[in-house]
Amino acid sequence: MATLSFEKKVQKFIEEEQLVEAGDRLLIACSGGVDSMGLLHFFLHFQKIWEIDLYVAHVDHMLRGEVSYEDRLFVERFCQEKNLPIFSTSIPIPEILKKEGGNAQAVCRRERYAYFAEMMKQHKINKLVTAHHADDQLETMLMALTRSGSVGGFKGISSKRTFAAGTIIRPFLTVTKEEIRKYLEGQGGTFREDASNLKDDYTRNRFRHHIVPLLKKENPQVAVHAFQLSQSLQQDDEYLNELALSRFPFVVEKAGDGFILHIQRLQKEPLALQRRIILILLNYLYRFSDDKGFSICSKILELCKSQEGNAMIHLPDQYIANRSYDIITFFKYRASKADDSIQTVEIGEWNVFNGFRLYIGKISDETANFQQNATASYYFNSDSIAFPLKVRNRKEGDRIHLKGMHEAKRLSRLFIDEKIPLIERDDWPILVDSKDEILAVVGIRANHRFSKAKRMNDDMVMIIQKVFNNK
């Protein structure tokens, strides 16, 4: 009766989560321990019912000498008896650790899953099956709680996710280790004990040996409760992430190689969506761990609340978040460009410079037509300008002489006054004459030699059009 109850429980979970379909080719990751042997027995029972193909993979990490090799032989013999295709290998983890260093568990996992991925590719297997169970879920959630307070970490292990060219599924998350053990015994199955699981060398083992038993004394169902909580958190988080993704374009816009976040629009969203919108943005900038993402998100939310007109925070990997009034620009720091970006302005022709079309030529009926669609146009006298004209990026100390001002204005101050995002300033087109005098910050202001109204001696016109689809 206990066996039937176990199988029904797992079967129900598989159907609810849509983990297995007819025609699937499953690769069972089997160490030879009680969990994976229980998994193997379960799928052997349902193989014909579900019309699936079964394959088994075993990796000997060579950390326990002859004992771990005997684990490999144990799994191979079982598969031969059951006429199951078995892929097994021995990977010299001690040699890899000696050469690379690093965490032994992390290296084992990397090499093991790389082997699984290769077998799936070679044999056109679409799903990898692991024996993670409710106790594993409880341990994972507790370890996440000690590292940080992020929802992402506390969601625990998911029932399925993409892996290699297919999917990894975990059908035993709904049952405990004790239930698996009883099920395997009821099937007359045997398994191998891994002595390393008894040591406290690894974080998970310390939780397993000392923390979890205390919780189970309080309530033997604590692992089941952890599974139920993780399911609720995963479902809620998935829904909220979908909402955040739908709101993202209304709050954040692409700007060159970076992004602009509109603070007031963000603050109108519920706080749960604010955090997720920022995490989506950070994912566009770079990959990060969930712990780091939560920390960065908090810093950005504080920047949004800042009372200063301008403020800046440095993010990992040389990224900068710069607040300017009601926007925050995100960009990667880069050194100032060399002057090889200088371009000559062709007179009497349209020139395109980083988001603007610029025409400079003699006043005529043709230029009058051009002006109808202009963002701005200015008149000037050709004798007052030193040709040829060029467009370059801004330089340190740049100033422009504006009409009505006694002193030249610093471009850095002009950009601030015009609320130009920091991310766009280094690439903004600056029009200069042959003496490198700044004639115009294109699309923003022209110097004192230019006029928006035609004067008696003006014989030339500068026409500017904004190109909206350049970003």
Side-chain angles (χ1 to χ4, degrees):
M1 187 65 182
T3 297
L4 184 62
S5 173
F6 177 91
E7 289 183 346
K8 279 189 173 181
K9 188 187 295 187
V10 176
Q11 188 177 6
K12 183 174 181 287
F13 180 63
I14 288 172
E15 290 170 354
E16 287 175 347
E17 297 291 310
Q18 299 178 328
L19 302 183
V20 178
E21 298 176 358
D24 275 343
R25 294 164 66 84
L26 307 183
L27 180 66
I28 310 292
C30 185
S31 66
V34 61
D35 306 332
S36 59
M37 289 305 295
L39 187 70
L40 203 45
H41 277 273
F42 176 85
F43 275 99
L44 276 169
H45 178 75
F46 281 93
Q47 181 177 10
K48 291 183 179 178
I49 298 171
W50 285 339
E51 299 177 352
I52 53 177
D53 294 327
L54 292 183
Y55 303 84
V56 180
H58 175 87
V59 175
D60 168 17
H61 298 118
M62 302 177 71
L63 288 170
R64 293 177 291 119
E66 194 66 29
V67 175
S68 63
Y69 183 68
E70 288 173 2
D71 292 345
R72 175 179 175 177
L73 294 178
F74 169 78
V75 175
E76 288 176 346
R77 281 195 295 267
F78 178 85
C79 291
Q80 288 166 3
E81 290 172 6
K82 301 296 182 179
N83 199 29
L84 280 173
I86 169 73
F87 312 122
S88 59
T89 187
S90 295
I91 299 176
I93 298 297
E95 291 181 21
I96 296 173
L97 288 171
K98 188 176 180 180
K99 183 179 179 181
E100 298 182 6
N103 179 277
Q105 277 194 317
V107 173
C108 285
R109 188 184 190 284
R110 182 192 73 192
E111 297 298 321
R112 182 169 68 250
Y113 278 83
Y115 179 71
F116 294 157
E118 182 60 29
M119 292 302 99
M120 290 174 71
K121 180 181 177 182
Q122 285 185 19
H123 302 279
K124 295 181 172 56
I125 297 170
N126 64 316
K127 288 177 181 175
L128 173 68
V129 192
T130 66
H132 291 94
H133 46 72
D135 291 88
D136 291 322
Q137 188 69 285
L138 174 60
E139 294 161 7
T140 299
M141 294 171 73
L142 291 172
M143 288 190 293
L145 187 61
T146 60
R147 287 194 301 266
S148 74
S150 68
V151 173
F154 203 59
K155 289 187 302 182
I157 307 167
S158 60
S159 62
K160 61 182 174 182
R161 66 171 176 84
T162 56
F163 173 74
T167 309
I168 181 169
I169 62 171
R170 302 173 176 111
F172 272 8
L173 283 177
T174 190
V175 291
T176 65
K177 188 179 189 73
E178 184 60 26
E179 287 178 295
I180 297 170
R181 183 185 296 273
K182 288 180 179 179
Y183 172 73
L184 183 60
E185 289 173 352
Q187 296 290 307
T190 56
F191 60 93
R192 297 274 296 179
E193 288 282 8
D194 184 345
S196 64
N197 289 334
L198 303 176
K199 299 178 182 178
D200 280 350
D201 296 352
Y202 305 121
T203 303
R204 184 176 290 275
N205 282 1
R206 291 194 292 275
F207 275 83
R208 183 174 295 166
H209 299 155
H210 305 291
I211 308 300
V212 172
L214 288 175
L215 295 175
K216 286 191 173 183
K217 278 185 179 180
E218 294 295 325
N219 188 338
Q221 295 299 306
V222 65
V224 176
H225 293 166
F227 160 71
Q228 293 167 346
L229 176 59
S230 69
Q231 270 203 309
S232 295
L233 287 173
Q234 289 171 21
Q235 291 162 3
D236 291 351
D237 192 54
E238 182 180 357
Y239 175 67
L240 288 170
N241 283 334
E242 288 177 2
L243 280 181
L245 201 56
S246 69
R247 298 302 303 161
F248 184 82
F250 298 97
V251 176
V252 180
E253 64 177 292
K254 189 84 168 67
D257 295 330
F259 292 86
I260 296 174
L261 183 149
H262 296 268
I263 296 172
Q264 292 182 2
R265 298 180 196 174
L266 178 73
Q267 291 176 336
K268 288 179 181 178
E269 302 292 341
L271 187 57
L273 293 189
Q274 288 183 33
R275 289 187 177 279
R276 285 167 172 82
I277 287 169
I278 292 173
L279 289 173
I280 292 169
L281 170 58
L282 293 176
N283 265 316
Y284 278 117
L285 294 177
Y286 47 75
R287 302 298 300 176
F288 56 89
S289 69
D290 187 71
D291 298 345
K292 183 191 287 186
F294 184 84
S295 173
I296 297 172
C297 181
S298 298
K299 290 180 181 179
I300 294 170
L301 285 173
E302 286 301 314
L303 185 61
C304 289
K305 298 174 186 175
S306 171
Q307 299 299 312
E308 300 177 36
N310 290 277
M312 179 188 296
I313 59 172
H314 290 268
L315 305 176
D317 303 330
Q318 293 188 305
Y319 277 94
I320 290 173
N322 182 78
R323 173 177 175 149
S324 179
Y325 303 98
D326 62 345
I327 64 171
I328 298 177
T329 53
F330 295 80
F331 59 96
K332 195 162 192 175
Y333 173 79
R334 60 186 179 191
S336 299
K337 295 180 180 178
D339 287 340
D340 59 0
S341 58
I342 296 175
Q343 295 176 264
T344 300
V345 177
E346 299 296 334
I347 303 300
E349 296 180 12
W350 282 104
N351 302 262
V352 178
F353 302 109
N354 194 38
F356 294 93
R357 296 180 73 222
L358 179 68
Y359 181 95
I360 296 177
K362 292 289 184 179
I363 298 172
S364 66
D365 292 339
E366 184 180 32
T367 57
N369 291 331
F370 292 160
Q371 287 175 266
Q372 292 178 7
N373 298 317
T375 303
S377 59
Y378 301 89
Y379 298 93
F380 65 98
N381 184 282
S382 57
D383 292 335
S384 66
I385 304 295
F387 291 87
L389 308 184
K390 296 181 180 180
V391 166
R392 63 167 172 79
N393 296 324
R394 69 165 178 162
K395 297 189 296 188
E396 187 70 31
D398 271 345
R399 293 173 180 266
I400 183 171
H401 291 268
L402 298 174
K403 188 175 181 179
M405 295 186 67
H406 296 295
E407 295 183 359
K409 185 167 186 172
R410 287 182 292 113
L411 255 58
S412 57
R413 171 48 58 183
L414 178 66
F415 281 130
I416 291 171
D417 291 346
E418 296 293 331
K419 299 185 179 180
I420 302 301
L422 190 63
I423 192 174
E424 299 181 17
R425 297 175 191 176
D426 284 341
D427 294 323
W428 204 277
I430 310 297
L431 178 68
V432 297
D433 66 8
S434 62
K435 299 176 183 178
D436 204 38
E437 178 184 355
I438 295 177
L439 302 180
V441 181
V442 178
I444 299 178
R445 296 289 295 275
N447 80 2
H448 64 292
R449 302 182 191 279
F450 293 76
S451 171
K452 288 188 175 181
K454 184 180 179 303
R455 298 161 299 192
M456 185 179 297
N457 294 327
D458 291 336
D459 59 346
M460 296 193 77
V461 65
M462 175 171 67
I463 303 168
I464 301 167
Q465 291 182 355
K466 182 76 171 74
V467 181
F468 291 99
N469 63 349
N470 67 307
K471 296 297 184 187

